[in-house]
Coordinates of all heavy atoms in Angstrom, one line a residue:
M1 N 2.3 11.1 24.1 CA 2.5 11.6 22.8 C 1.2 11.9 22.1 O 0.4 11.0 21.9 CB 3.3 10.5 22.0 CG 3.7 10.9 20.6 SD 4.7 9.6 19.9 CE 5.3 10.5 18.5
E2 N 1.0 13.1 21.6 CA -0.2 13.5 21.0 C 0.0 13.6 19.5 O 1.0 14.1 19.0 CB -0.7 14.8 21.6 CG -2.1 15.2 21.1 CD -2.6 16.4 21.9 OE1 -2.2 16.6 23.0 OE2 -3.3 17.2 21.3
Y3 N -1.0 13.1 18.8 CA -0.9 13.1 17.3 C -1.7 14.3 16.8 O -2.7 14.6 17.3 CB -1.4 11.8 16.7 CG -0.7 10.6 17.2 CD1 -1.1 9.7 18.2 CD2 0.6 10.3 16.6 CE1 -0.4 8.6 18.6 CE2 1.3 9.2 17.0 CZ 0.8 8.4 18.0 OH 1.5 7.3 18.4
K4 N -1.2 14.8 15.7 CA -1.8 16.0 15.1 C -3.1 15.7 14.4 O -4.1 16.4 14.5 CB -0.9 16.7 14.1 CG 0.3 17.3 14.8 CD 1.2 18.0 13.8 CE 2.4 18.5 14.4 NZ 3.4 19.1 13.5
R5 N -3.2 14.5 13.8 CA -4.4 14.1 13.0 C -5.2 13.1 13.7 O -4.9 11.9 13.6 CB -4.0 13.6 11.6 CG -3.4 14.6 10.8 CD -3.1 14.0 9.4 NE -2.5 15.0 8.5 CZ -2.2 14.7 7.3 NH1 -2.3 13.5 6.8 NH2 -1.7 15.7 6.5
K6 N -6.1 13.4 14.5 CA -6.9 12.5 15.2 C -8.3 12.4 14.5 O -9.3 12.5 15.1 CB -7.1 12.9 16.7 CG -5.9 12.7 17.5 CD -6.2 12.8 19.0 CE -5.0 12.4 19.7 NZ -5.2 12.2 21.1
E7 N -8.3 12.2 13.2 CA -9.5 12.0 12.4 C -9.7 10.6 12.2 O -8.8 9.7 12.2 CB -9.3 12.8 11.1 CG -9.1 14.3 11.4 CD -8.8 15.1 10.1 OE1 -8.6 14.4 9.1 OE2 -8.9 16.3 10.2
C8 N -10.9 10.2 11.9 CA -11.3 8.8 11.8 C -10.6 8.1 10.7 O -10.2 6.9 10.8 CB -12.8 8.7 11.5 SG -13.8 8.9 13.0
W9 N -10.2 8.7 9.6 CA -9.6 8.1 8.5 C -8.2 7.5 8.8 O -7.7 6.6 8.2 CB -9.5 9.0 7.2 CG -8.6 10.1 7.4 CD1 -9.0 11.4 7.9 CD2 -7.2 10.2 7.1 NE1 -7.9 12.2 8.0 CE2 -6.8 11.5 7.5 CE3 -6.3 9.3 6.6 CZ2 -5.5 11.9 7.3 CZ3 -5.0 9.7 6.5 CH2 -4.6 11.0 6.8
C10 N -7.6 8.0 9.9 CA -6.3 7.5 10.3 C -6.4 6.8 11.6 O -5.4 6.6 12.3 CB -5.2 8.6 10.3 SG -5.5 9.9 11.4
C11 N -7.5 6.3 12.0 CA -7.7 5.5 13.2 C -7.7 4.0 12.9 O -8.0 3.6 11.8 CB -9.1 5.9 13.8 SG -9.5 5.0 15.3
N12 N -7.2 3.3 13.9 CA -7.1 1.8 13.7 C -8.5 1.1 13.6 O -8.6 0.1 13.1 CB -6.3 1.2 14.9 CG -5.8 -0.1 14.6 OD1 -5.6 -0.5 13.5 ND2 -5.6 -0.9 15.7
A13 N -9.5 1.8 14.2 CA -10.8 1.2 14.2 C -11.6 1.5 12.9 O -12.7 1.0 12.7 CB -11.6 1.6 15.4
Y14 N -11.1 2.4 12.1 CA -11.9 2.9 10.9 C -11.6 2.0 9.7 O -10.5 1.6 9.4 CB -11.4 4.3 10.5 CG -12.1 4.9 9.3 CD1 -13.4 5.4 9.4 CD2 -11.4 4.9 8.1 CE1 -14.0 5.9 8.3 CE2 -12.0 5.5 7.0 CZ -13.3 6.0 7.1 OH -13.9 6.5 6.0
R15 N -12.7 1.6 9.0 CA -12.6 0.8 7.8 C -13.4 1.6 6.7 O -14.5 1.9 6.9 CB -13.2 -0.6 8.0 CG -12.5 -1.4 9.0 CD -11.1 -1.8 8.5 NE -10.3 -2.5 9.5 CZ -9.5 -2.0 10.3 NH1 -9.2 -0.7 10.3 NH2 -8.8 -2.7 11.2
A16 N -12.6 1.9 5.7 CA -13.2 2.7 4.6 C -14.2 1.9 3.7 O -14.0 0.7 3.6 CB -12.1 3.3 3.7
Y17 N -15.1 2.6 3.2 CA -16.0 2.0 2.2 C -15.4 2.2 0.8 O -14.9 3.3 0.5 CB -17.4 2.5 2.2 CG -18.2 2.1 3.4 CD1 -19.2 2.9 3.9 CD2 -18.0 0.9 4.0 CE1 -20.0 2.5 5.0 CE2 -18.8 0.5 5.1 CZ -19.8 1.3 5.6 OH -20.5 0.9 6.6
Y18 N -15.6 1.3 -0.1 CA -15.0 1.4 -1.4 C -16.2 1.2 -2.4 O -17.1 0.4 -2.2 CB -14.0 0.3 -1.7 CG -12.7 0.5 -0.9 CD1 -12.6 0.0 0.4 CD2 -11.6 1.1 -1.5 CE1 -11.4 0.1 1.1 CE2 -10.5 1.3 -0.8 CZ -10.4 0.8 0.5 OH -9.2 1.0 1.2
T19 N -16.1 1.8 -3.6 CA -17.0 1.6 -4.7 C -16.2 1.1 -5.9 O -15.1 1.4 -6.1 CB -17.7 2.9 -5.1 OG1 -16.7 3.9 -5.4 CG2 -18.6 3.5 -4.0
K20 N -16.9 0.2 -6.6 CA -16.2 -0.4 -7.8 C -16.3 0.6 -8.9 O -17.4 1.0 -9.4 CB -16.9 -1.7 -8.1 CG -16.1 -2.4 -9.2 CD -16.7 -3.8 -9.4 CE -15.8 -4.5 -10.5 NZ -16.3 -5.8 -10.8
A21 N -15.2 0.9 -9.5 CA -15.1 1.7 -10.7 C -14.9 0.7 -11.9 O -15.1 -0.5 -11.7 CB -13.9 2.6 -10.6
L22 N -14.5 1.2 -13.0 CA -14.4 0.3 -14.2 C -13.3 -0.8 -14.0 O -13.6 -1.9 -14.2 CB -14.0 1.2 -15.4 CG -13.9 0.4 -16.7 CD1 -15.3 -0.2 -17.1 CD2 -13.5 1.4 -17.8
C23 N -12.1 -0.4 -13.6 CA -11.0 -1.3 -13.4 C -10.4 -1.4 -12.0 O -9.5 -2.2 -11.8 CB -9.9 -1.0 -14.4 SG -10.4 -1.1 -16.1
H24 N -10.9 -0.7 -11.1 CA -10.4 -0.7 -9.7 C -11.4 -0.2 -8.7 O -12.6 0.1 -9.1 CB -9.2 0.3 -9.7 CG -9.5 1.7 -10.0 ND1 -9.8 2.1 -11.3 CD2 -9.7 2.8 -9.2 CE1 -10.1 3.4 -11.3 NE2 -10.1 3.8 -10.0
F25 N -11.0 -0.2 -7.5 CA -11.9 0.2 -6.4 C -11.5 1.6 -5.9 O -10.3 1.9 -5.8 CB -11.9 -0.7 -5.2 CG -12.6 -2.0 -5.6 CD1 -11.8 -3.1 -6.0 CD2 -13.9 -2.2 -5.4 CE1 -12.4 -4.3 -6.3 CE2 -14.6 -3.4 -5.7 CZ -13.8 -4.4 -6.1
E26 N -12.4 2.5 -5.6 CA -12.1 3.8 -5.1 C -12.7 4.0 -3.7 O -13.8 3.5 -3.4 CB -12.7 4.9 -6.1 CG -12.1 4.9 -7.4 CD -12.7 6.0 -8.3 OE1 -13.7 6.7 -7.9 OE2 -12.2 6.1 -9.4
K27 N -12.0 4.7 -2.9 CA -12.4 5.0 -1.5 C -13.5 6.0 -1.6 O -13.5 7.0 -2.3 CB -11.3 5.5 -0.7 CG -10.5 4.5 0.0 CD -9.5 5.1 1.0 CE -8.6 4.0 1.6 NZ -7.7 4.6 2.5
D28 N -14.6 5.8 -0.8 CA -15.6 6.8 -0.5 C -15.1 7.7 0.6 O -14.1 7.4 1.2 CB -16.9 6.1 -0.2 CG -17.6 5.5 -1.3 OD1 -17.3 5.8 -2.5 OD2 -18.6 4.7 -1.1
G29 N -15.9 8.7 0.9 CA -15.6 9.5 2.0 C -16.2 8.9 3.3 O -16.1 9.5 4.4
N30 N -16.9 7.8 3.1 CA -17.6 7.2 4.2 C -16.8 6.0 4.7 O -15.9 5.5 4.1 CB -19.0 6.7 3.8 CG -19.8 7.8 3.2 OD1 -19.7 8.9 3.7 ND2 -20.6 7.5 2.3
G31 N -17.2 5.5 5.9 CA -16.5 4.3 6.4 C -17.3 3.7 7.6 O -18.4 4.1 7.9
F32 N -16.7 2.8 8.3 CA -17.3 2.1 9.4 C -16.3 2.2 10.6 O -15.1 1.9 10.5 CB -17.6 0.7 9.1 CG -18.3 -0.1 10.2 CD1 -19.6 0.1 10.4 CD2 -17.6 -1.0 10.9 CE1 -20.2 -0.6 11.5 CE2 -18.2 -1.7 11.9 CZ -19.5 -1.5 12.2
C33 N -16.8 2.5 11.8 CA -16.0 2.5 13.0 C -16.3 1.2 13.8 O -17.4 1.0 14.2 CB -16.4 3.7 13.9 SG -15.5 3.8 15.4
R34 N -15.2 0.4 13.9 CA -15.4 -0.8 14.6 C -15.4 -0.6 16.1 O -15.9 -1.5 16.8 CB -14.2 -1.8 14.3 CG -14.2 -2.2 12.8 CD -13.2 -3.2 12.5 NE -11.9 -2.8 13.0 CZ -10.9 -3.7 13.3 NH1 -11.1 -4.9 13.1 NH2 -9.7 -3.2 13.8
A35 N -14.9 0.5 16.6 CA -15.0 0.7 18.1 C -16.4 1.0 18.6 O -16.8 0.6 19.6 CB -14.0 1.9 18.4
H36 N -17.1 1.8 17.8 CA -18.5 2.2 18.1 C -19.6 1.4 17.4 O -20.8 1.6 17.7 CB -18.7 3.7 17.9 CG -17.8 4.6 18.7 ND1 -17.9 4.6 20.1 CD2 -16.9 5.4 18.4 CE1 -17.0 5.5 20.6 NE2 -16.4 6.0 19.5
N37 N -19.2 0.6 16.4 CA -20.1 -0.1 15.5 C -21.1 0.9 14.9 O -22.3 0.6 14.9 CB -20.9 -1.2 16.3 CG -19.9 -2.3 16.6 OD1 -19.0 -2.6 15.9 ND2 -20.2 -2.9 17.8
I38 N -20.6 2.0 14.3 CA -21.5 2.9 13.6 C -20.9 3.2 12.3 O -19.7 3.0 12.0 CB -21.6 4.2 14.4 CG1 -20.3 4.9 14.7 CG2 -22.4 4.0 15.7 CD1 -20.4 6.3 15.3
I39 N -21.7 3.8 11.4 CA -21.3 4.2 10.1 C -20.8 5.6 10.2 O -21.5 6.5 10.8 CB -22.4 4.1 9.1 CG1 -22.8 2.6 8.9 CG2 -22.0 4.7 7.7 CD1 -24.0 2.4 8.0
I40 N -19.6 5.9 9.7 CA -19.0 7.2 9.7 C -19.3 7.9 8.3 O -18.9 7.4 7.3 CB -17.5 7.2 9.9 CG1 -17.2 6.4 11.2 CG2 -16.9 8.6 9.9 CD1 -17.7 7.1 12.5
S41 N -20.0 9.0 8.3 CA -20.4 9.6 7.1 C -19.3 10.7 6.7 O -19.3 11.1 5.5 CB -21.7 10.3 7.1 OG -21.8 11.2 8.2
D42 N -18.5 11.1 7.6 CA -17.4 12.0 7.3 C -16.1 11.5 7.9 O -16.0 11.3 9.1 CB -17.7 13.4 8.0 CG -16.7 14.4 7.7 OD1 -16.0 14.3 6.7 OD2 -16.6 15.4 8.6
K43 N -15.1 11.3 7.0 CA -13.9 10.7 7.4 C -13.0 11.6 8.3 O -12.1 11.2 8.9 CB -13.1 10.2 6.2 CG -12.5 11.3 5.4 CD -11.7 10.7 4.2 CE -11.1 11.8 3.4 NZ -10.4 11.3 2.3
H44 N -13.4 12.8 8.4 CA -12.7 13.8 9.3 C -13.3 13.9 10.7 O -12.9 14.7 11.5 CB -12.7 15.2 8.6 CG -12.0 15.2 7.3 ND1 -10.6 14.9 7.2 CD2 -12.4 15.3 6.0 CE1 -10.3 14.9 5.9 NE2 -11.4 15.2 5.2
H45 N -14.3 13.0 11.0 CA -14.9 12.9 12.3 C -13.8 12.4 13.3 O -12.9 11.7 13.0 CB -16.1 12.0 12.2 CG -16.8 11.8 13.5 ND1 -17.5 12.8 14.1 CD2 -16.8 10.7 14.4 CE1 -18.0 12.3 15.2 NE2 -17.6 11.1 15.4
T46 N -14.0 12.8 14.6 CA -13.1 12.3 15.6 C -13.9 11.8 16.8 O -15.1 12.1 16.9 CB -12.2 13.5 16.2 OG1 -13.0 14.5 16.7 CG2 -11.3 14.0 15.1
C47 N -13.3 10.9 17.6 CA -14.0 10.4 18.7 C -13.0 10.1 19.8 O -11.8 10.2 19.6 CB -14.8 9.1 18.4 SG -13.7 7.7 18.0
E48 N -13.5 9.7 21.0 CA -12.6 9.6 22.2 C -11.8 8.2 22.1 O -10.9 8.0 22.9 CB -13.4 9.7 23.5 CG -14.4 8.6 23.7 CD -15.7 8.9 23.0 OE1 -15.9 9.9 22.4 OE2 -16.6 8.0 23.0
K49 N -12.3 7.3 21.3 CA -11.6 6.0 21.2 C -10.6 5.9 20.0 O -10.3 4.8 19.5 CB -12.6 4.9 21.1 CG -13.5 4.6 22.3 CD -14.3 3.4 22.2 CE -15.1 3.2 23.5 NZ -15.9 2.0 23.4
W50 N -10.1 7.0 19.6 CA -9.2 7.1 18.5 C -7.9 6.4 18.9 O -7.4 6.5 20.0 CB -8.8 8.6 18.2 CG -8.0 8.7 17.0 CD1 -8.5 8.8 15.7 CD2 -6.6 8.8 16.9 NE1 -7.5 9.0 14.8 CE2 -6.3 9.0 15.5 CE3 -5.6 8.8 17.8 CZ2 -5.0 9.1 15.1 CZ3 -4.3 8.9 17.3 CH2 -4.0 9.1 16.0
C51 N -7.4 5.6 17.9 CA -6.2 4.8 18.2 C -5.3 4.8 16.9 O -5.8 4.6 15.8 CB -6.6 3.3 18.5 SG -5.1 2.3 18.8
F52 N -4.0 5.1 17.0 CA -3.1 5.3 15.9 C -2.9 3.9 15.2 O -2.7 2.9 15.8 CB -1.8 5.8 16.4 CG -0.8 6.0 15.3 CD1 -1.0 7.0 14.4 CD2 0.4 5.4 15.3 CE1 -0.1 7.3 13.4 CE2 1.3 5.6 14.3 CZ 1.1 6.6 13.3
N53 N -3.0 4.0 13.9 CA -2.8 2.7 13.1 C -1.5 2.6 12.4 O -1.3 2.2 11.3 CB -3.9 2.6 12.0 CG -3.8 3.7 10.9 OD1 -3.1 4.6 11.1 ND2 -4.6 3.6 9.9
G54 N -0.4 3.0 13.1 CA 0.9 3.0 12.6 C 1.4 1.6 12.3 O 2.3 1.4 11.5
I55 N 1.0 0.6 13.1 CA 1.4 -0.8 12.9 C 1.0 -1.3 11.5 O 1.8 -1.9 10.8 CB 0.9 -1.7 14.0 CG1 1.5 -1.3 15.3 CG2 1.2 -3.1 13.7 CD1 0.9 -1.9 16.5
R56 N -0.2 -1.0 11.1 CA -0.7 -1.4 9.8 C 0.1 -0.8 8.7 O 0.4 -1.4 7.7 CB -2.2 -1.0 9.7 CG -3.0 -2.2 9.4 CD -4.5 -1.8 9.2 NE -4.8 -0.4 9.4 CZ -6.0 0.0 9.1 NH1 -6.9 -0.7 8.6 NH2 -6.2 1.3 9.2
R57 N 0.5 0.5 8.9 CA 1.3 1.2 7.9 C 2.6 0.6 7.8 O 3.2 0.4 6.7 CB 1.4 2.7 8.2 CG 0.1 3.4 8.0 CD 0.2 4.8 8.3 NE -1.0 5.5 8.2 CZ -1.3 6.7 8.7 NH1 -0.4 7.4 9.3 NH2 -2.5 7.2 8.5
R58 N 3.2 0.2 8.9 CA 4.6 -0.4 8.9 C 4.5 -1.8 8.3 O 5.5 -2.1 7.5 CB 5.0 -0.5 10.4 CG 6.5 -0.3 10.5 CD 7.0 -0.3 12.0 NE 6.0 0.4 12.8 CZ 5.7 0.1 14.0 NH1 6.3 -1.0 14.6 NH2 4.9 0.8 14.8
I59 N 3.5 -2.5 8.5 CA 3.4 -3.9 7.9 C 3.3 -3.7 6.4 O 3.9 -4.4 5.6 CB 2.2 -4.6 8.5 CG1 2.5 -5.0 9.9 CG2 1.9 -5.9 7.6 CD1 1.3 -5.6 10.6
R60 N 2.4 -2.8 5.9 CA 2.3 -2.5 4.5 C 3.6 -2.1 3.9 O 3.9 -2.5 2.7 CB 1.2 -1.5 4.2 CG -0.2 -2.0 4.3 CD -1.2 -1.0 3.8 NE -1.0 0.3 4.4 CZ -2.0 1.0 4.9 NH1 -3.2 0.6 4.9 NH2 -1.7 2.2 5.4
K61 N 4.3 -1.3 4.6 CA 5.6 -0.8 4.1 C 6.6 -2.0 3.9 O 7.3 -2.1 2.9 CB 6.2 0.3 5.0 CG 7.5 0.8 4.5 CD 8.0 1.9 5.5 CE 9.4 2.4 5.1 NZ 9.9 3.3 6.1
N62 N 6.6 -2.8 4.9 CA 7.5 -4.0 4.9 C 7.2 -4.9 3.7 O 8.0 -5.4 3.0 CB 7.5 -4.7 6.2 CG 8.2 -3.9 7.3 OD1 9.0 -3.0 7.0 ND2 7.9 -4.3 8.5
V63 N 5.9 -5.2 3.6 CA 5.4 -6.1 2.5 C 5.8 -5.4 1.1 O 6.2 -6.1 0.2 CB 3.9 -6.3 2.6 CG1 3.4 -7.0 1.4 CG2 3.6 -7.2 3.8
S64 N 5.6 -4.1 1.0 CA 5.9 -3.4 -0.2 C 7.4 -3.5 -0.5 O 7.8 -3.7 -1.7 CB 5.4 -2.0 -0.2 OG 4.1 -1.9 0.0
L65 N 8.2 -3.3 0.5 CA 9.6 -3.4 0.3 C 10.1 -4.8 -0.1 O 11.0 -4.9 -1.0 CB 10.4 -2.9 1.5 CG 10.3 -1.4 1.8 CD1 11.0 -1.1 3.2 CD2 11.0 -0.6 0.7
K66 N 9.5 -5.8 0.4 CA 9.9 -7.2 0.1 C 9.5 -7.4 -1.4 O 10.2 -8.0 -2.1 CB 9.2 -8.2 1.0 CG 9.8 -8.2 2.4 CD 9.1 -9.2 3.2 CE 9.7 -9.2 4.6 NZ 8.9 -10.2 5.5
A67 N 8.3 -7.0 -1.8 CA 7.8 -7.2 -3.2 C 8.7 -6.4 -4.1 O 9.1 -6.9 -5.2 CB 6.4 -6.7 -3.3
L68 N 9.1 -5.2 -3.8 CA 10.0 -4.4 -4.7 C 11.4 -5.1 -4.8 O 12.0 -5.1 -5.9 CB 10.1 -3.0 -4.1 CG 8.9 -2.1 -4.4 CD1 9.1 -0.8 -3.6 CD2 8.7 -1.9 -5.8
N69 N 11.9 -5.6 -3.7 CA 13.2 -6.3 -3.7 C 13.1 -7.5 -4.6 O 14.1 -7.8 -5.4 CB 13.7 -6.7 -2.3 CG 14.2 -5.5 -1.6 OD1 14.8 -4.6 -2.2 ND2 14.1 -5.5 -0.3
K70 N 12.0 -8.3 -4.5 CA 11.9 -9.4 -5.4 C 11.8 -9.0 -6.8 O 12.4 -9.7 -7.7 CB 10.6 -10.2 -5.0 CG 10.5 -11.5 -5.6 CD 9.3 -12.3 -5.1 CE 9.2 -13.6 -5.8 NZ 8.0 -14.4 -5.3
A71 N 11.0 -8.0 -7.1 CA 10.9 -7.5 -8.5 C 12.3 -7.0 -9.0 O 12.6 -7.3 -10.2 CB 9.9 -6.4 -8.6
L72 N 13.1 -6.4 -8.2 CA 14.4 -5.9 -8.6 C 15.3 -7.1 -8.9 O 16.0 -7.1 -9.9 CB 15.0 -5.0 -7.4 CG 16.4 -4.5 -7.7 CD1 16.4 -3.6 -8.9 CD2 16.9 -3.8 -6.5
D73 N 15.2 -8.1 -8.1 CA 16.0 -9.3 -8.3 C 15.6 -10.0 -9.7 O 16.5 -10.4 -10.4 CB 15.8 -10.4 -7.2 CG 16.5 -9.9 -5.9 OD1 17.4 -9.0 -5.9 OD2 16.1 -10.5 -4.8
N74 N 14.3 -10.0 -9.9 CA 13.9 -10.5 -11.2 C 14.4 -9.7 -12.4 O 14.8 -10.3 -13.4 CB 12.4 -10.6 -11.3 CG 11.8 -11.7 -10.3 OD1 12.5 -12.6 -10.0 ND2 10.6 -11.6 -10.0
L75 N 14.4 -8.4 -12.2 CA 14.9 -7.5 -13.3 C 16.4 -7.7 -13.5 O 16.8 -7.6 -14.7 CB 14.5 -6.1 -13.0 CG 13.1 -5.7 -13.1 CD1 12.8 -4.3 -12.6 CD2 12.6 -5.8 -14.6
V76 N 17.1 -7.9 -12.5 CA 18.6 -8.1 -12.6 C 18.8 -9.4 -13.3 O 19.7 -9.4 -14.2 CB 19.2 -8.1 -11.2 CG1 20.6 -8.6 -11.2 CG2 19.2 -6.7 -10.6
E77 N 18.1 -10.4 -13.0 CA 18.2 -11.7 -13.7 C 17.9 -11.5 -15.2 O 18.7 -12.1 -16.1 CB 17.4 -12.8 -13.1 CG 17.8 -13.2 -11.7 CD 16.9 -14.2 -11.1 OE1 16.0 -14.7 -11.8 OE2 17.0 -14.5 -9.9
I78 N 16.8 -10.9 -15.5 CA 16.5 -10.7 -16.9 C 17.5 -9.8 -17.6 O 17.9 -10.1 -18.8 CB 15.1 -10.0 -17.0 CG1 14.0 -10.9 -16.5 CG2 14.8 -9.5 -18.4 CD1 12.7 -10.3 -16.4
R79 N 18.1 -8.8 -17.0 CA 19.1 -8.0 -17.6 C 20.3 -8.8 -17.9 O 21.0 -8.7 -18.9 CB 19.5 -6.8 -16.7 CG 20.6 -5.9 -17.2 CD 20.9 -4.9 -16.2 NE 22.0 -4.0 -16.7 CZ 23.3 -4.3 -16.7 NH1 23.7 -5.4 -16.2 NH2 24.2 -3.4 -17.2
Q80 N 20.7 -9.7 -16.9 CA 21.9 -10.6 -17.1 C 21.7 -11.5 -18.3 O 22.6 -11.7 -19.1 CB 22.2 -11.4 -15.9 CG 23.5 -12.1 -15.9 CD 24.7 -11.2 -16.1 OE1 24.8 -10.1 -15.5 NE2 25.6 -11.6 -17.0
I81 N 20.5 -12.1 -18.4 CA 20.2 -13.0 -19.6 C 20.3 -12.2 -20.9 O 20.9 -12.7 -21.9 CB 18.8 -13.6 -19.4 CG1 18.8 -14.6 -18.2 CG2 18.3 -14.3 -20.7 CD1 17.4 -15.0 -17.8
I82 N 19.8 -11.0 -20.9 CA 19.9 -10.2 -22.2 C 21.3 -9.8 -22.5 O 21.8 -9.9 -23.6 CB 19.0 -8.9 -22.0 CG1 17.5 -9.4 -22.0 CG2 19.2 -8.0 -23.2 CD1 16.6 -8.2 -21.7
V83 N 22.1 -9.4 -21.5 CA 23.5 -9.1 -21.7 C 24.3 -10.3 -22.2 O 25.1 -10.2 -23.1 CB 24.1 -8.5 -20.4 CG1 25.6 -8.4 -20.5 CG2 23.6 -7.1 -20.1
D84 N 24.0 -11.5 -21.6 CA 24.7 -12.7 -22.1 C 24.3 -13.0 -23.5 O 25.2 -13.4 -24.3 CB 24.4 -13.9 -21.2 CG 25.0 -13.7 -19.8 OD1 25.9 -12.9 -19.6 OD2 24.5 -14.4 -18.9
E85 N 23.1 -12.8 -23.9 CA 22.6 -13.1 -25.2 C 23.3 -12.1 -26.2 O 23.7 -12.5 -27.3 CB 21.1 -13.0 -25.3 CG 20.5 -13.4 -26.6 CD 20.6 -14.9 -26.8 OE1 20.6 -15.6 -25.8 OE2 20.6 -15.3 -28.0
I86 N 23.4 -10.9 -25.9 CA 24.0 -9.9 -26.7 C 25.5 -10.2 -26.9 O 26.0 -10.2 -28.1 CB 23.8 -8.5 -26.2 CG1 22.4 -8.0 -26.3 CG2 24.7 -7.5 -26.9 CD1 22.1 -6.7 -25.6
D87 N 26.2 -10.6 -25.8 CA 27.6 -10.9 -25.9 C 27.8 -12.2 -26.8 O 28.8 -12.2 -27.6 CB 28.2 -11.2 -24.5 CG 28.3 -9.9 -23.7 OD1 28.3 -8.8 -24.4 OD2 28.5 -10.0 -22.5
E88 N 26.9 -13.1 -26.7 CA 27.0 -14.4 -27.5 C 26.8 -14.1 -28.9 O 27.5 -14.6 -29.8 CB 26.0 -15.4 -27.0 CG 26.1 -16.7 -27.6 CD 25.1 -17.7 -27.1 OE1 25.0 -17.8 -25.8 OE2 24.3 -18.3 -27.9
N89 N 25.9 -13.2 -29.3 CA 25.6 -12.8 -30.6 C 26.8 -12.0 -31.2 O 27.0 -12.1 -32.4 CB 24.3 -12.0 -30.8 CG 23.1 -12.9 -30.6 OD1 23.2 -14.1 -30.8 ND2 22.0 -12.3 -30.3
K90 N 27.5 -11.2 -30.4 CA 28.7 -10.5 -30.9 C 29.8 -11.5 -31.3 O 30.5 -11.2 -32.2 CB 29.1 -9.5 -29.9 CG 28.3 -8.3 -29.8 CD 28.8 -7.3 -28.8 CE 27.9 -6.1 -28.7 NZ 28.4 -5.1 -27.7
K91 N 30.0 -12.5 -30.5 CA 31.0 -13.5 -30.7 C 30.7 -14.4 -31.9 O 31.6 -14.7 -32.7 CB 31.3 -14.3 -29.4 CG 31.9 -13.5 -28.3 CD 32.0 -14.4 -27.1 CE 32.5 -13.6 -25.9 NZ 32.6 -14.4 -24.7
N92 N 29.5 -14.9 -32.0 CA 29.1 -15.8 -33.0 C 27.9 -15.2 -33.8 O 26.8 -15.7 -33.6 CB 28.7 -17.1 -32.4 CG 29.8 -17.8 -31.7 OD1 31.0 -17.7 -32.1 ND2 29.5 -18.5 -30.6
P93 N 28.1 -14.2 -34.6 CA 27.0 -13.6 -35.4 C 26.4 -14.6 -36.4 O 27.2 -15.4 -37.0 CB 27.6 -12.4 -36.1 CG 29.1 -12.7 -36.1 CD 29.4 -13.6 -35.0
I94 N 25.1 -14.6 -36.4 CA 24.5 -15.5 -37.4 C 24.0 -14.6 -38.6 O 23.2 -13.7 -38.5 CB 23.2 -16.2 -36.8 CG1 23.7 -17.0 -35.6 CG2 22.5 -17.0 -37.8 CD1 22.5 -17.6 -34.8
D95 N 24.6 -14.9 -39.8 CA 24.3 -14.1 -41.0 C 23.6 -15.0 -42.0 O 23.8 -16.1 -42.2 CB 25.6 -13.5 -41.6 CG 26.1 -12.5 -40.7 OD1 25.3 -11.8 -40.0 OD2 27.3 -12.3 -40.7

């Protein structure tokens, strides 16, 4: 199976460099190749030791889905509390 994008930025051995911005980190166009132990100055570079990093993407996707499900459960609980409070105020209004 041949992949269309055999560039370093989507290789399992590539680690991107980040720079600190005001409130977050931003990716540079540079990185480090763990397979060759060299600095990559162009993320579109390719090499013969290219390896697909699909497993990492799948793990990130699963972790993201678990976090979203947990957040959704929390929102449902908060909504139920608010609905119960509104119903209680309709039955026993405080004037």
Side-chain angles (χ1 to χ4, degrees):
M1 181 176 196
E2 189 171 329
Y3 298 102
K4 293 180 182 178
R5 294 184 177 179
K6 288 196 172 191
E7 298 174 348
C8 282
W9 65 271
C10 61
C11 177
N12 196 26
Y14 179 78
R15 297 295 175 260
Y17 287 152
Y18 292 86
T19 56
K20 186 173 182 182
L22 184 62
C23 298
H24 61 283
F25 290 93
E26 293 180 358
K27 275 188 181 180
D28 283 345
N30 304 327
F32 181 76
C33 179
R34 294 185 312 156
H36 296 298
N37 291 327
I38 59 171
I39 295 173
I40 305 293
S41 61
D42 180 24
K43 68 180 181 180
H44 299 292
H45 179 73
T46 60
C47 70
E48 66 277 354
K49 291 189 177 182
W50 187 88
C51 179
F52 184 62
N53 66 351
I55 293 172
R56 237 181 359 171
R57 289 181 185 165
R58 213 172 324 140
I59 290 171
R60 282 192 308 229
K61 181 180 176 183
N62 289 341
V63 169
S64 299
L65 286 174
K66 286 179 184 177
L68 285 173
N69 283 331
K70 187 174 181 180
L72 180 63
D73 291 341
N74 290 339
L75 288 173
V76 167
E77 289 176 12
I78 292 170
R79 181 184 180 277
Q80 187 61 43
I81 291 170
I82 292 172
V83 167
D84 291 344
E85 186 70 28
I86 290 171
D87 290 343
E88 185 178 308
N89 284 339
K90 284 182 181 178
K91 292 177 185 176
N92 300 324
I94 301 174
D95 291 328

